[in-house]
Amino acid sequence: MKNIIFIAPPAAGKGTYSKLLQDKYNIPHISTGDLLRDEVNKATSLGKEISEDMKNGKLISDTIITNLLKNRLEQDDCNNGYILDGYPRNIHQAKIYEDMLKSLNKELGIVIYLEVDKELALKRALGRVVCPHCGASFNTKIDAFKPKKEGICDICHHQLEIRKDDTEETFLKRFDTYLENTSSLINYYEEKGVLRKIKSENNDTNEIMLNKIRGVIND
Ligand code: AMP
């Protein structure tokens, strides 16, 4: 299986689709946002250091992310491919990542770019509720993604939570930072011939999206 970098704006559904791919292909979904949130939730010394920046939607330093990610990619479950979500976010990180891959003797694989309109992403961000126990994500504003029972995870029945960084102000800041940084990154990967584009529309179900993604993986 190819290694996959999954690029999409905040709240485009990439966490959800990555989890679906993880189950389908039996490869891990590695989200740098999750690795960082994990440190914050466990209140490690690193977690305490980054918690304010995480709350404000600011990017965390390359040194911190590089260490966390390299440790994760060294684990055995990454040997048959993985889905990388939230990294790299700019060309600088893309170059650091290529050096990391060389040192780990791994291939770049493909880059899936998921396009989504800002209004749709905002609607998803403001309705998003996540399960802190199993990581499942639901949406109170989109019928197809509402949990069966309000406030409760369909999968493990844990209480659902709103992510601290899912406010309108933080969302818009994150979306704009994303746009500023990714256009050059997309061009960078397009020139390398590894970019695969797909678009998420308002009424796309998980199944439709999974089919679109499988189409570009099998290209
Ligand atoms: P995400 O879950 O990908 O939306 O990331 C949530 C937050 O984690 C971001 O707003 C940043 O503060 C931080 N973060 C995640 N990935 C990166 C990265 N590649 N570089 C810098 N900061 C990151």
Side-chain angles (χ1 to χ4, degrees), residues 32-33 36-37 54 58-60 65 86-87 89 93 174:
T32 46
L36 294 163
R37 273 186 291 276
M54 291 287 292
K58 283 199 194 147
L59 289 185
I60 304 303
I65 310 260
Y87 187 93
R89 268 177 157 80
Q93 288 188 351
R174 286 166 68 212

Side-chain angles (χ1 to χ4, degrees), residues 6 8 17 26 29 36 43 63 69 76 79 89 112 120 123 132 137 141-142 168 170 193 199 201:
F6 207 167
Y17 307 136
N26 200 20
H29 163 221
L36 294 163
T63 319
L69 183 60
D76 287 348
N79 289 346
R89 268 177 157 80
I112 298 179
L120 178 57
K123 188 167 149 189
S137 181
K141 293 193 191 298
I142 301 175
E168 181 161 353
T170 304
K199 175 139 191 180
E201 309 285 353

Side-chain angles (χ1 to χ4, degrees), residues 25-217:
Y25 293 104
N26 200 20
I27 54 175
H29 163 221
I30 300 167
S31 148
T32 46
D34 284 348
L35 293 178
L36 294 163
R37 273 186 291 276
D38 209 35
E39 296 289 321
V40 173
N41 291 339
K42 286 186 194 147
T44 60
S45 58
L46 174 63
K48 287 180 192 151
E49 187 187 326
I50 62 176
S51 96
E52 204 50 35
D53 283 344
M54 291 287 292
K55 224 188 303 172
N56 293 323
K58 283 199 194 147
L59 289 185
I60 304 303
S61 82
D62 288 333
T63 319
I64 291 175
I65 310 260
T66 307
N67 286 337
L68 275 179
L69 183 60
K70 188 156 187 271
N71 286 342
R72 181 64 189 89
L73 295 184
E74 274 167 348
Q75 290 171 28
D76 287 348
D77 64 339
C78 295
N79 289 346
N80 297 320
Y82 52 83
I83 306 147
L84 189 51
D85 162 5
Y87 187 93
R89 268 177 157 80
N90 50 49
I91 294 191
H92 184 61
Q93 288 188 351
K95 293 192 171 152
I96 296 176
Y97 179 55
E98 276 159 38
D99 289 342
M100 192 191 301
L101 288 174
K102 259 187 224 142
S103 74
L104 295 170
N105 206 15
K106 289 185 186 296
E107 301 281 323
L108 178 60
I110 59 166
V111 178
I112 298 179
Y113 173 45
L114 176 59
E115 286 179 285
V116 61
D117 294 334
K118 192 171 183 172
E119 297 72 47
L120 178 57
L122 178 63
K123 188 167 149 189
R124 285 184 177 157
L126 298 186
R128 173 157 63 182
V129 279
V130 293
C131 177
H133 186 63
C134 73
S137 181
F138 301 88
N139 200 295
T140 58
K141 293 193 191 298
I142 301 175
D143 283 344
F145 301 109
K146 282 185 178 161
K148 289 194 184 92
K149 192 168 170 209
E150 197 185 319
I152 303 293
C153 177
D154 287 1
I155 298 157
C156 71
H157 311 294
H158 204 276
Q159 187 92 28
L160 296 172
E161 288 179 354
I162 296 174
R163 266 173 48 172
K164 286 195 190 69
D165 55 357
D166 273 344
T167 63
E168 181 161 353
E169 193 194 347
T170 304
F171 170 80
L172 293 174
K173 207 187 287 169
R174 286 166 68 212
F175 201 95
D176 290 342
T177 308
Y178 161 83
L179 286 183
E180 258 169 53
N181 291 317
T182 39
S183 54
S184 49
L185 187 63
I186 301 303
N187 293 339
Y188 178 79
Y189 284 130
E190 194 146 38
E191 277 165 22
K192 280 184 176 284
V194 293
L195 192 75
R196 310 282 185 269
K197 277 188 200 175
I198 45 175
K199 175 139 191 180
S200 169
E201 309 285 353
N202 197 11
N203 293 319
D204 280 351
T205 59
N206 283 349
E207 202 185 346
I208 294 175
M209 284 308 297
L210 193 54
N211 278 335
K212 287 188 190 178
I213 297 168
R214 283 162 61 190
V216 298
I217 289 177

